[in-house]
PDB file of all heavy atoms in Angstrom:
ATOM      1  N   VAL B  27     -13.766   8.475 -28.785  1.00 83.00           N
ATOM      2  CA  VAL B  27     -14.471   7.265 -29.225  1.00 83.00           C
ATOM      3  C   VAL B  27     -15.782   7.197 -28.445  1.00 83.00           C
ATOM      4  O   VAL B  27     -15.829   7.527 -27.264  1.00 83.00           O
ATOM      5  CB  VAL B  27     -13.613   5.991 -29.039  1.00 83.00           C
ATOM      6  CG1 VAL B  27     -13.178   5.793 -27.605  1.00 83.00           C
ATOM      7  CG2 VAL B  27     -14.317   4.758 -29.558  1.00 83.00           C
ATOM      8  N   HIS B  28     -16.841   6.814 -29.151  1.00 86.00           N
ATOM      9  CA  HIS B  28     -18.147   6.737 -28.505  1.00 86.00           C
ATOM     10  C   HIS B  28     -18.538   5.272 -28.384  1.00 86.00           C
ATOM     11  O   HIS B  28     -18.498   4.531 -29.377  1.00 86.00           O
ATOM     12  CB  HIS B  28     -19.162   7.507 -29.359  1.00 86.00           C
ATOM     13  CG  HIS B  28     -20.565   7.355 -28.884  1.00 86.00           C
ATOM     14  ND1 HIS B  28     -20.955   7.751 -27.632  1.00 86.00           N
ATOM     15  CD2 HIS B  28     -21.673   6.871 -29.492  1.00 86.00           C
ATOM     16  CE1 HIS B  28     -22.251   7.497 -27.496  1.00 86.00           C
ATOM     17  NE2 HIS B  28     -22.704   6.970 -28.603  1.00 86.00           N
ATOM     18  N   LEU B  29     -18.897   4.839 -27.173  1.00 87.00           N
ATOM     19  CA  LEU B  29     -19.331   3.458 -26.978  1.00 87.00           C
ATOM     20  C   LEU B  29     -20.768   3.463 -26.469  1.00 87.00           C
ATOM     21  O   LEU B  29     -21.075   4.155 -25.492  1.00 87.00           O
ATOM     22  CB  LEU B  29     -18.439   2.749 -25.943  1.00 87.00           C
ATOM     23  CG  LEU B  29     -16.945   2.634 -26.229  1.00 87.00           C
ATOM     24  CD1 LEU B  29     -16.235   2.068 -25.022  1.00 87.00           C
ATOM     25  CD2 LEU B  29     -16.693   1.743 -27.425  1.00 87.00           C
ATOM     26  N   LYS B  30     -21.622   2.718 -27.157  1.00 90.00           N
ATOM     27  CA  LYS B  30     -22.992   2.544 -26.648  1.00 90.00           C
ATOM     28  C   LYS B  30     -22.962   1.283 -25.809  1.00 90.00           C
ATOM     29  O   LYS B  30     -22.840   0.173 -26.338  1.00 90.00           O
ATOM     30  CB  LYS B  30     -23.968   2.369 -27.809  1.00 90.00           C
ATOM     31  CG  LYS B  30     -24.458   3.671 -28.397  1.00 90.00           C
ATOM     32  CD  LYS B  30     -25.430   3.383 -29.505  1.00 90.00           C
ATOM     33  CE  LYS B  30     -25.560   4.601 -30.382  1.00 90.00           C
ATOM     34  NZ  LYS B  30     -26.086   4.291 -31.699  1.00 90.00           N
ATOM     35  N   ILE B  31     -23.061   1.445 -24.501  1.00 89.00           N
ATOM     36  CA  ILE B  31     -22.915   0.296 -23.609  1.00 89.00           C
ATOM     37  C   ILE B  31     -24.286  -0.093 -23.069  1.00 89.00           C
ATOM     38  O   ILE B  31     -24.973   0.734 -22.453  1.00 89.00           O
ATOM     39  CB  ILE B  31     -21.950   0.633 -22.456  1.00 89.00           C
ATOM     40  CG1 ILE B  31     -20.572   0.982 -23.032  1.00 89.00           C
ATOM     41  CG2 ILE B  31     -21.838  -0.499 -21.475  1.00 89.00           C
ATOM     42  CD1 ILE B  31     -19.606   1.500 -22.012  1.00 89.00           C
ATOM     43  N   THR B  32     -24.688  -1.336 -23.311  1.00 90.00           N
ATOM     44  CA  THR B  32     -25.953  -1.827 -22.760  1.00 90.00           C
ATOM     45  C   THR B  32     -25.653  -2.580 -21.480  1.00 90.00           C
ATOM     46  O   THR B  32     -24.838  -3.515 -21.486  1.00 90.00           O
ATOM     47  CB  THR B  32     -26.650  -2.751 -23.779  1.00 90.00           C
ATOM     48  OG1 THR B  32     -26.685  -2.064 -25.024  1.00 90.00           O
ATOM     49  CG2 THR B  32     -28.063  -3.091 -23.350  1.00 90.00           C
ATOM     50  N   VAL B  33     -26.287  -2.140 -20.394  1.00 89.00           N
ATOM     51  CA  VAL B  33     -25.996  -2.764 -19.091  1.00 89.00           C
ATOM     52  C   VAL B  33     -27.264  -3.357 -18.486  1.00 89.00           C
ATOM     53  O   VAL B  33     -28.377  -2.897 -18.741  1.00 89.00           O
ATOM     54  CB  VAL B  33     -25.386  -1.756 -18.094  1.00 89.00           C
ATOM     55  CG1 VAL B  33     -23.991  -1.381 -18.457  1.00 89.00           C
ATOM     56  CG2 VAL B  33     -26.248  -0.522 -17.946  1.00 89.00           C
ATOM     57  N   GLU B  34     -27.046  -4.385 -17.694  1.00 87.00           N
ATOM     58  CA  GLU B  34     -28.105  -4.952 -16.872  1.00 87.00           C
ATOM     59  C   GLU B  34     -27.625  -4.777 -15.443  1.00 87.00           C
ATOM     60  O   GLU B  34     -26.588  -5.320 -15.069  1.00 87.00           O
ATOM     61  CB  GLU B  34     -28.270  -6.440 -17.186  1.00 87.00           C
ATOM     62  CG  GLU B  34     -29.618  -6.774 -17.770  1.00 87.00           C
ATOM     63  CD  GLU B  34     -29.702  -8.206 -18.179  1.00 87.00           C
ATOM     64  OE1 GLU B  34     -29.243  -9.069 -17.412  1.00 87.00           O
ATOM     65  OE2 GLU B  34     -30.205  -8.471 -19.278  1.00 87.00           O
ATOM     66  N   ASP B  35     -28.323  -3.988 -14.661  1.00 84.00           N
ATOM     67  CA  ASP B  35     -27.800  -3.533 -13.379  1.00 84.00           C
ATOM     68  C   ASP B  35     -26.496  -2.790 -13.680  1.00 84.00           C
ATOM     69  O   ASP B  35     -26.522  -1.820 -14.416  1.00 84.00           O
ATOM     70  CB  ASP B  35     -27.619  -4.722 -12.429  1.00 84.00           C
ATOM     71  CG  ASP B  35     -27.411  -4.256 -10.994  1.00 84.00           C
ATOM     72  OD1 ASP B  35     -27.583  -3.050 -10.757  1.00 84.00           O
ATOM     73  OD2 ASP B  35     -27.068  -5.070 -10.129  1.00 84.00           O
ATOM     74  N   GLU B  36     -25.345  -3.277 -13.206  1.00 86.00           N
ATOM     75  CA  GLU B  36     -24.092  -2.599 -13.569  1.00 86.00           C
ATOM     76  C   GLU B  36     -23.178  -3.499 -14.393  1.00 86.00           C
ATOM     77  O   GLU B  36     -21.991  -3.229 -14.547  1.00 86.00           O
ATOM     78  CB  GLU B  36     -23.375  -2.116 -12.309  1.00 86.00           C
ATOM     79  CG  GLU B  36     -24.069  -0.931 -11.707  1.00 86.00           C
ATOM     80  CD  GLU B  36     -23.136  -0.032 -10.933  1.00 86.00           C
ATOM     81  OE1 GLU B  36     -21.951   0.009 -11.245  1.00 86.00           O
ATOM     82  OE2 GLU B  36     -23.637   0.611 -10.008  1.00 86.00           O
ATOM     83  N   ILE B  37     -23.742  -4.596 -14.867  1.00 88.00           N
ATOM     84  CA  ILE B  37     -22.937  -5.538 -15.649  1.00 88.00           C
ATOM     85  C   ILE B  37     -23.153  -5.262 -17.145  1.00 88.00           C
ATOM     86  O   ILE B  37     -24.286  -5.155 -17.604  1.00 88.00           O
ATOM     87  CB  ILE B  37     -23.338  -7.008 -15.332  1.00 88.00           C
ATOM     88  CG1 ILE B  37     -23.258  -7.290 -13.830  1.00 88.00           C
ATOM     89  CG2 ILE B  37     -22.501  -7.992 -16.127  1.00 88.00           C
ATOM     90  CD1 ILE B  37     -21.880  -7.325 -13.243  1.00 88.00           C
ATOM     91  N   ILE B  38     -22.024  -5.167 -17.872  1.00 89.00           N
ATOM     92  CA  ILE B  38     -22.116  -4.856 -19.299  1.00 89.00           C
ATOM     93  C   ILE B  38     -22.581  -6.085 -20.076  1.00 89.00           C
ATOM     94  O   ILE B  38     -22.077  -7.194 -19.871  1.00 89.00           O
ATOM     95  CB  ILE B  38     -20.741  -4.385 -19.830  1.00 89.00           C
ATOM     96  CG1 ILE B  38     -20.323  -3.115 -19.094  1.00 89.00           C
ATOM     97  CG2 ILE B  38     -20.773  -4.128 -21.326  1.00 89.00           C
ATOM     98  CD1 ILE B  38     -18.876  -2.796 -19.209  1.00 89.00           C
ATOM     99  N   LYS B  39     -23.553  -5.877 -20.949  1.00 88.00           N
ATOM    100  CA  LYS B  39     -24.051  -6.981 -21.771  1.00 88.00           C
ATOM    101  C   LYS B  39     -23.654  -6.836 -23.239  1.00 88.00           C
ATOM    102  O   LYS B  39     -23.435  -7.822 -23.925  1.00 88.00           O
ATOM    103  CB  LYS B  39     -25.587  -7.053 -21.667  1.00 88.00           C
ATOM    104  CG  LYS B  39     -26.086  -7.445 -20.296  1.00 88.00           C
ATOM    105  CD  LYS B  39     -25.765  -8.900 -20.011  1.00 88.00           C
ATOM    106  CE  LYS B  39     -25.955  -9.197 -18.534  1.00 88.00           C
ATOM    107  NZ  LYS B  39     -25.458 -10.505 -18.134  1.00 88.00           N
ATOM    108  N   GLU B  40     -23.601  -5.606 -23.693  1.00 87.00           N
ATOM    109  CA  GLU B  40     -23.338  -5.399 -25.119  1.00 87.00           C
ATOM    110  C   GLU B  40     -22.603  -4.073 -25.323  1.00 87.00           C
ATOM    111  O   GLU B  40     -22.855  -3.107 -24.599  1.00 87.00           O
ATOM    112  CB  GLU B  40     -24.669  -5.358 -25.864  1.00 87.00           C
ATOM    113  CG  GLU B  40     -24.562  -5.698 -27.328  1.00 87.00           C
ATOM    114  CD  GLU B  40     -25.897  -5.499 -28.047  1.00 87.00           C
ATOM    115  OE1 GLU B  40     -26.946  -5.450 -27.394  1.00 87.00           O
ATOM    116  OE2 GLU B  40     -25.841  -5.363 -29.253  1.00 87.00           O
ATOM    117  N   VAL B  41     -21.722  -4.032 -26.321  1.00 89.00           N
ATOM    118  CA  VAL B  41     -20.988  -2.794 -26.622  1.00 89.00           C
ATOM    119  C   VAL B  41     -21.023  -2.532 -28.130  1.00 89.00           C
ATOM    120  O   VAL B  41     -20.776  -3.443 -28.915  1.00 89.00           O
ATOM    121  CB  VAL B  41     -19.501  -2.897 -26.199  1.00 89.00           C
ATOM    122  CG1 VAL B  41     -18.787  -1.575 -26.414  1.00 89.00           C
ATOM    123  CG2 VAL B  41     -19.382  -3.308 -24.763  1.00 89.00           C
ATOM    124  N   VAL B  42     -21.348  -1.318 -28.493  1.00 89.00           N
ATOM    125  CA  VAL B  42     -21.295  -0.937 -29.917  1.00 89.00           C
ATOM    126  C   VAL B  42     -20.462   0.342 -30.026  1.00 89.00           C
ATOM    127  O   VAL B  42     -20.858   1.387 -29.530  1.00 89.00           O
ATOM    128  CB  VAL B  42     -22.705  -0.697 -30.506  1.00 89.00           C
ATOM    129  CG1 VAL B  42     -22.600  -0.315 -31.980  1.00 89.00           C
ATOM    130  CG2 VAL B  42     -23.582  -1.908 -30.318  1.00 89.00           C
ATOM    131  N   PRO B  43     -19.283   0.266 -30.634  1.00 87.00           N
ATOM    132  CA  PRO B  43     -18.484   1.492 -30.769  1.00 87.00           C
ATOM    133  C   PRO B  43     -18.940   2.330 -31.974  1.00 87.00           C
ATOM    134  O   PRO B  43     -19.423   1.784 -32.961  1.00 87.00           O
ATOM    135  CB  PRO B  43     -17.055   0.980 -30.969  1.00 87.00           C
ATOM    136  CG  PRO B  43     -17.200  -0.396 -31.467  1.00 87.00           C
ATOM    137  CD  PRO B  43     -18.559  -0.902 -31.125  1.00 87.00           C
ATOM    138  N   ALA B  44     -18.803   3.635 -31.863  1.00 86.00           N
ATOM    139  CA  ALA B  44     -19.104   4.535 -32.982  1.00 86.00           C
ATOM    140  C   ALA B  44     -17.915   5.458 -33.175  1.00 86.00           C
ATOM    141  O   ALA B  44     -17.408   6.035 -32.214  1.00 86.00           O
ATOM    142  CB  ALA B  44     -20.355   5.340 -32.674  1.00 86.00           C
ATOM    143  N   LEU B  45     -17.455   5.532 -34.422  1.00 84.00           N
ATOM    144  CA  LEU B  45     -16.272   6.345 -34.717  1.00 84.00           C
ATOM    145  C   LEU B  45     -16.611   7.400 -35.757  1.00 84.00           C
ATOM    146  O   LEU B  45     -17.713   7.417 -36.292  1.00 84.00           O
ATOM    147  CB  LEU B  45     -15.150   5.454 -35.250  1.00 84.00           C
ATOM    148  CG  LEU B  45     -14.668   4.343 -34.323  1.00 84.00           C
ATOM    149  CD1 LEU B  45     -13.875   3.335 -35.100  1.00 84.00           C
ATOM    150  CD2 LEU B  45     -13.823   4.911 -33.213  1.00 84.00           C
ATOM    151  N   GLY B  46     -15.681   8.266 -36.049  1.00 83.00           N
ATOM    152  CA  GLY B  46     -15.875   9.231 -37.130  1.00 83.00           C
ATOM    153  C   GLY B  46     -15.981  10.663 -36.663  1.00 83.00           C
ATOM    154  O   GLY B  46     -16.475  11.512 -37.379  1.00 83.00           O
ATOM    155  N   PHE B  47     -15.516  10.948 -35.457  1.00 84.00           N
ATOM    156  CA  PHE B  47     -15.631  12.314 -34.942  1.00 84.00           C
ATOM    157  C   PHE B  47     -14.475  13.219 -35.372  1.00 84.00           C
ATOM    158  O   PHE B  47     -14.606  14.425 -35.346  1.00 84.00           O
ATOM    159  CB  PHE B  47     -15.723  12.299 -33.408  1.00 84.00           C
ATOM    160  CG  PHE B  47     -16.954  11.614 -32.904  1.00 84.00           C
ATOM    161  CD1 PHE B  47     -16.936  10.272 -32.570  1.00 84.00           C
ATOM    162  CD2 PHE B  47     -18.143  12.305 -32.790  1.00 84.00           C
ATOM    163  CE1 PHE B  47     -18.072   9.629 -32.123  1.00 84.00           C
ATOM    164  CE2 PHE B  47     -19.289  11.674 -32.351  1.00 84.00           C
ATOM    165  CZ  PHE B  47     -19.250  10.334 -32.023  1.00 84.00           C
ATOM    166  N   VAL B  48     -13.339  12.628 -35.709  1.00 84.00           N
ATOM    167  CA  VAL B  48     -12.166  13.455 -36.034  1.00 84.00           C
ATOM    168  C   VAL B  48     -11.539  13.101 -37.386  1.00 84.00           C
ATOM    169  O   VAL B  48     -10.334  13.162 -37.557  1.00 84.00           O
ATOM    170  CB  VAL B  48     -11.083  13.398 -34.921  1.00 84.00           C
ATOM    171  CG1 VAL B  48     -11.485  14.200 -33.732  1.00 84.00           C
ATOM    172  CG2 VAL B  48     -10.768  11.977 -34.539  1.00 84.00           C
ATOM    173  N   HIS B  49     -12.387  12.743 -38.342  1.00 87.00           N
ATOM    174  CA  HIS B  49     -11.852  12.398 -39.663  1.00 87.00           C
ATOM    175  C   HIS B  49     -11.309  13.666 -40.334  1.00 87.00           C
ATOM    176  O   HIS B  49     -11.972  14.688 -40.363  1.00 87.00           O
ATOM    177  CB  HIS B  49     -12.948  11.783 -40.524  1.00 87.00           C
ATOM    178  CG  HIS B  49     -12.506  11.503 -41.917  1.00 87.00           C
ATOM    179  ND1 HIS B  49     -11.505  10.603 -42.194  1.00 87.00           N
ATOM    180  CD2 HIS B  49     -12.884  12.017 -43.104  1.00 87.00           C
ATOM    181  CE1 HIS B  49     -11.306  10.567 -43.499  1.00 87.00           C
ATOM    182  NE2 HIS B  49     -12.127  11.430 -44.075  1.00 87.00           N
ATOM    183  N   ARG B  50     -10.078  13.588 -40.856  1.00 87.00           N
ATOM    184  CA  ARG B  50      -9.447  14.778 -41.445  1.00 87.00           C
ATOM    185  C   ARG B  50      -9.151  14.641 -42.932  1.00 87.00           C
ATOM    186  O   ARG B  50      -8.729  15.584 -43.565  1.00 87.00           O
ATOM    187  CB  ARG B  50      -8.132  15.081 -40.712  1.00 87.00           C
ATOM    188  CG  ARG B  50      -8.338  15.527 -39.286  1.00 87.00           C
ATOM    189  CD  ARG B  50      -7.043  15.422 -38.505  1.00 87.00           C
ATOM    190  NE  ARG B  50      -6.720  14.031 -38.216  1.00 87.00           N
ATOM    191  CZ  ARG B  50      -5.536  13.603 -37.847  1.00 87.00           C
ATOM    192  NH1 ARG B  50      -4.555  14.448 -37.733  1.00 87.00           N
ATOM    193  NH2 ARG B  50      -5.322  12.337 -37.579  1.00 87.00           N
ATOM    194  N   GLY B  51      -9.323  13.446 -43.470  1.00 87.00           N
ATOM    195  CA  GLY B  51      -9.106  13.252 -44.905  1.00 87.00           C
ATOM    196  C   GLY B  51      -7.658  13.402 -45.341  1.00 87.00           C
ATOM    197  O   GLY B  51      -7.379  13.925 -46.409  1.00 87.00           O
ATOM    198  N   LEU B  52      -6.724  12.924 -44.510  1.00 88.00           N
ATOM    199  CA  LEU B  52      -5.300  13.101 -44.848  1.00 88.00           C
ATOM    200  C   LEU B  52      -4.883  12.278 -46.063  1.00 88.00           C
ATOM    201  O   LEU B  52      -4.013  12.702 -46.825  1.00 88.00           O
ATOM    202  CB  LEU B  52      -4.419  12.744 -43.644  1.00 88.00           C
ATOM    203  CG  LEU B  52      -4.491  13.683 -42.439  1.00 88.00           C
ATOM    204  CD1 LEU B  52      -3.568  13.205 -41.338  1.00 88.00           C
ATOM    205  CD2 LEU B  52      -4.118  15.096 -42.820  1.00 88.00           C
TER     206      LEU B  52
END
Side-chain angles (χ1 to χ4, degrees):
Chain B
V27 58
H28 173 60
L29 300 173
K30 275 181 199 160
I31 299 172
T32 310
V33 289
E34 244 175 44
D35 194 9
E36 287 208 27
I37 305 290
I38 299 163
K39 293 290 166 190
E40 203 186 341
V41 185
V42 180
L45 300 164
F47 296 94
V48 285
H49 176 63
R50 292 164 287 163
L52 291 180

